[in-house]
């Protein structure tokens, strides 16, 4: 089996690449913990100034792994994101809540708050959990073929676990994206301020690395302070507390689904979700 995350140094830039192209870089726990290792490695390397997050193949990420042969939701990993117990020994809502607090909400918050700037390099699909990975990055460069969606309302769930929608999309666009579940393209993402640049697919890597190198030329401590300053202001605008509240609603929805249908995903398997985001 190939590595699920690749790590490469390019001068002052650490290129971190999700490497499950066969499954459109769907995020199983192995990938999530490998991403955490890669980000930690980049933070600890004094020669790295900027981190670029990429996805191998045609797509950035199709979201959480809900149906590949390597789905590992029942596997125990060493917990590093939050103070919580191992989900694999628990039952019912406790089991899902513990895992998602660690692997999704907890990990994403860790990555948003690392002191080095990060840039998402997005092509093709950036769906549901893929949005979470792009949104934790400070900047986003998108190829013209990139498209975005959060279709989880089709599961009766009000949005992905890292609920940044109102802050990165604005309230009305957030409602449109959630209420319809439909995809929107790179150009619209740029118009609403969700992405920083839209470039031809052939230029995606060069444009992203050029931006990373410009950022890398700034003082490292100044970058860390500026990043923290903006993040603190977002949190003062309610992002962190809002996300905590919506995480609870997210799990109410899972529990409701399990009660009325015996399926916390309301019968929406990977193929159904793929069709829903078309």
């Amino acid at each position: 089996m190939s590595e699920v995350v690749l790590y490469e140094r390019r001068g002052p830039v650490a290129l971190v690449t999700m490497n499950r192209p066969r499954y459109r870089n769907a995020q199983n726990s192995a990938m999530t913990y490998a991403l955490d290792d890669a980000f930690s490695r980049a933070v600890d390397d004094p020669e790295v100034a900027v981190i670029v997050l990429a996805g191998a193949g045609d797509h950035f990420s199709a979201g959480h792994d809900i149906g590949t042969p390597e789905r590992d939701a029942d596997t125990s990993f060493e917990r590093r994101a939050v103070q919580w117990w191992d989900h694999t020994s628990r039952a019912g809502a406790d089991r899902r809540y513990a895992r998602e607090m660690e692997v999704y909400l907890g990990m994403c918050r860790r990555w948003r708050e690392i002191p080095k700037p990060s840039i998402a390099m997005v092509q093709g699909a950036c769906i549901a959990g893929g949005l979470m990975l792009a949104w934790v990055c400070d900047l986003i460069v998108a190829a013209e073929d990139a498209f975005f969606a959060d279709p989880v309302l089709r599961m009766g769930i009000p949005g992905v676990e890292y609920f940044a929608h109102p802050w990165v999309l604005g309230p009305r666009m957030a409602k449109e994206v959630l209420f319809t579940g439909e995809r929107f393209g790179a150009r619209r993402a740029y118009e609403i301020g969700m992405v920083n640049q839209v470039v031809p697919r052939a230029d995606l890597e060069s444009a992203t690395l050029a931006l990373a190198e410009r950022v890398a030329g700034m003082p490292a401590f100044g970058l860390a302070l500026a990043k923290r300053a903006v993040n603190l202001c977002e949190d003062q605008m309610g992002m962190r507390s809002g996300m905590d509240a919506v995480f609870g609603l997210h799990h109410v929805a899972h529990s409701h689904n399990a009660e009325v249908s015996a399926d916390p995903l309301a019968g929406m398997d990977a193929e159904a979700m793929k069709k829903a985001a078309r």
Side-chain angles (χ1 to χ4, degrees):
M1 185 185 302
S2 62
E3 293 181 77
V4 293
V5 171
L6 306 177
Y7 186 96
E8 180 184 356
R9 268 279 310 280
R10 298 196 184 182
V13 178
L15 179 60
V16 176
T17 304
M18 295 176 283
N19 190 37
R20 299 185 75 207
R22 179 180 178 185
Y23 304 114
R24 303 200 306 169
N25 296 315
Q27 305 151 24
N28 59 4
S29 293
M31 172 183 280
T32 305
Y33 281 91
L35 282 173
D36 193 57
D37 287 338
F39 289 140
S40 297
R41 178 179 175 183
V43 170
D44 288 340
D45 185 345
E47 300 301 316
V48 170
V50 178
I51 303 164
V52 169
L53 176 62
D58 293 334
H59 301 283
F60 178 75
S61 176
H64 300 334
D65 185 343
I66 61 173
T68 81
E70 296 156 21
R71 186 170 187 260
D72 53 7
D74 297 323
T75 302
S76 180
F77 288 81
E78 181 183 355
R79 296 171 307 287
R80 289 172 291 192
V82 295
Q83 297 298 316
W84 214 267
W85 43 71
D86 185 350
H87 71 285
T88 59
S89 63
R90 302 287 168 156
D94 185 352
R95 183 184 186 91
R96 183 175 294 272
Y97 189 92
R99 178 175 184 267
E100 293 192 355
M101 178 67 84
E102 160 76 9
V103 177
Y104 298 145
L105 184 59
M107 288 289 189
C108 283
R109 281 180 166 169
R110 278 167 61 92
W111 303 336
R112 173 181 178 253
E113 294 172 2
I114 61 179
K116 294 182 179 180
S118 56
I119 305 174
M121 183 167 72
V122 179
Q123 81 283 6
C126 183
I127 306 296
L131 287 175
M132 293 168 44
L133 298 184
W135 286 349
V136 299
C137 294
D138 303 298
L139 305 174
I140 301 174
V141 180
E144 292 172 337
D145 70 346
F147 59 92
F148 309 87
D150 186 359
V152 301
L153 192 63
R154 297 178 187 277
M155 298 176 175
I157 296 171
V160 291
E161 297 85 354
Y162 182 83
F163 192 83
H165 305 60
W167 294 272
V168 299
L169 299 173
R172 297 207 185 279
M173 182 64 176
K175 289 176 181 178
E176 178 183 334
V177 168
L178 292 167
F179 291 178
T180 67
E182 295 173 354
R183 66 171 62 175
F184 58 101
R187 184 54 56 185
R188 190 166 188 202
Y190 176 79
E191 290 169 351
I192 64 173
M194 195 193 93
V195 306
N196 299 88
Q197 297 180 21
V198 178
V199 299
R201 176 66 176 271
D203 299 334
L204 179 61
E205 183 174 311
S206 60
T208 304
L209 292 176
L211 176 60
E213 288 175 2
R214 292 202 302 275
V215 173
M218 299 294 280
F221 189 48
L223 285 170
L225 293 179
K227 174 172 178 171
R228 182 162 176 78
V230 176
N231 285 357
L232 286 170
C233 288
E234 275 190 312
D235 289 340
Q236 287 294 312
M237 291 186 281
M239 183 170 168
R240 187 176 185 90
S241 58
M243 200 174 286
D244 282 335
V246 178
F247 189 71
L249 298 178
H250 180 100
H251 281 273
V252 167
H254 277 313
S255 296
H256 173 75
N257 287 342
E259 283 196 34
V260 301
S261 68
D263 180 359
L265 302 183
M268 296 293 287
D269 60 15
E271 187 60 30
M273 291 301 289
K274 180 179 178 181
K275 292 177 180 177
R278 285 176 180 169

